[in-house]
Amino acid sequence: GNSVTQMEGPVTLSEEAFLTINCTYTATGYPSLFWYVQYPGEGLQLLLKATKADDKGSNKGFEATYRKETTSFHLEKGSVQVSDSAVYFCALSVDSNYQLIWGAGTKLIIKP
Amino acid sequence: GAVVSQHPSRVICKSGTSVKIECRSLDFQATTMFWYRQFPKQSLMLMATSNEGSKATYEQGVEKDKFLINHASLTLSTLTVTSAHPEDSSFYICSASGGKGGYTFGSGTRLTVV
């Protein structure tokens, strides 16, 4: 079946550190891949997405590349800020299916 | 872990009728509930945020009279799609905060209006 696995949190980093949050998936067909972010007290927001292999999604300094060979969509940022503290969710959506398959979420804490 | 039970998982209704979707937090108190809508192969769209005992806050462009949200208790929130039309057909999902995991999603409801 379809599934998403992302690294457990919380992940605690110092400001300006390099961030990687791992996400791997299993899916039939050709899924679209998403990263969502939820800041404290707010709803989910789409951070970035990629719809086919080798696509790179990017937004707000975050990047993720759709790697079909490794079935991965790792989230990266070169220099994190305190304001990046949030919960990050990796998700996939498969052809002909409405439903998003979610990772468990990774809480990111950035310390000044 | 924290569990949110959402039902029904699928519903088909006739145009002009109303449909109620329930989300229950089974083992924690959901102080805040988020309701989302998703179109095929697209991202989620936040519809509204509700806090227990108070009126929901709707996102811009979401009709509050059409999508009625009730969050009367710490374990139950409902979304009622009133006078449904085919363009309301979509996937609706709730997410609750308050459990140890931070945010927990329901399994979603696929609504088809015919």
Side-chain angles (χ1 to χ4, degrees), chain B residues 26-92:
Chain B
L26 298 186
D27 49 4
F28 67 99
Q29 294 183 328
T31 51
T32 304
M33 193 77 79
F34 303 94
W35 286 94
Y36 300 88
R37 180 175 180 178
Q38 188 201 348
F39 296 96
K41 290 216 72 176
Q42 296 184 30
S43 61
L44 287 181
M45 179 190 78
L46 178 64
M47 299 174 67
T49 304
S50 71
N51 293 297
E52 183 266 339
S54 59
K55 288 185 178 180
T57 301
Y58 289 81
E59 295 299 302
Q60 192 171 10
V62 178
E63 299 175 61
K64 59 181 68 177
D65 293 331
K66 181 167 186 63
F67 298 99
L68 301 179
I69 291 172
N70 185 283
H71 193 168
S73 78
L74 284 170
T75 58
L76 175 65
S77 179
T78 61
L79 167 67
T80 302
V81 183
T82 63
S83 186
H85 291 282
E87 57 266 30
D88 298 326
S89 298
S90 191
F91 189 78
Y92 295 87

Side-chain angles (χ1 to χ4, degrees), chain A residues 30-32 34 36 38-46 49 51 87 89 93-100 102-104, chain B residues 32 34 36 38-46 49 89-91 93 95 97 101-103 105-108 110-112:
Chain A
Y30 301 93
S32 293
F34 305 88
Y36 286 83
Q38 188 163 19
Y39 298 101
E42 299 182 17
L44 274 179
Q45 301 174 29
L46 176 65
K49 69 176 183 180
T51 57
V87 181
F89 294 89
S93 179
V94 181
D95 287 344
S96 74
N97 192 329
Y98 288 77
Q99 189 175 3
L100 276 171
W102 295 92
Chain B
T32 304
F34 303 94
Y36 300 88
Q38 188 201 348
F39 296 96
K41 290 216 72 176
Q42 296 184 30
S43 61
L44 287 181
M45 179 190 78
L46 178 64
T49 304
S89 298
S90 191
F91 189 78
I93 190 166
S95 170
S97 69
Y103 303 100
F105 290 97
S107 55
R110 185 183 298 189
L111 170 63
T112 303

Side-chain angles (χ1 to χ4, degrees), chain A residues 79-112:
Chain A
S79 176
V80 293
Q81 306 300 314
V82 173
S83 56
D84 294 326
S85 298
V87 181
Y88 293 81
F89 294 89
C90 184
L92 69 83
S93 179
V94 181
D95 287 344
S96 74
N97 192 329
Y98 288 77
Q99 189 175 3
L100 276 171
I101 309 298
W102 295 92
T106 303
K107 186 173 185 177
L108 175 65
I109 301 169
I110 307 299
K111 295 187 174 181

Side-chain angles (χ1 to χ4, degrees), chain A residues 21 23 33-35 48-50 64-66 71-75 90:
Chain A
I21 300 178
C23 172
L33 301 173
F34 305 88
W35 276 101
L48 52 86
K49 69 176 183 180
T65 302
Y66 189 142
T71 62
S72 65
F73 193 54
H74 304 322
L75 182 68
C90 184

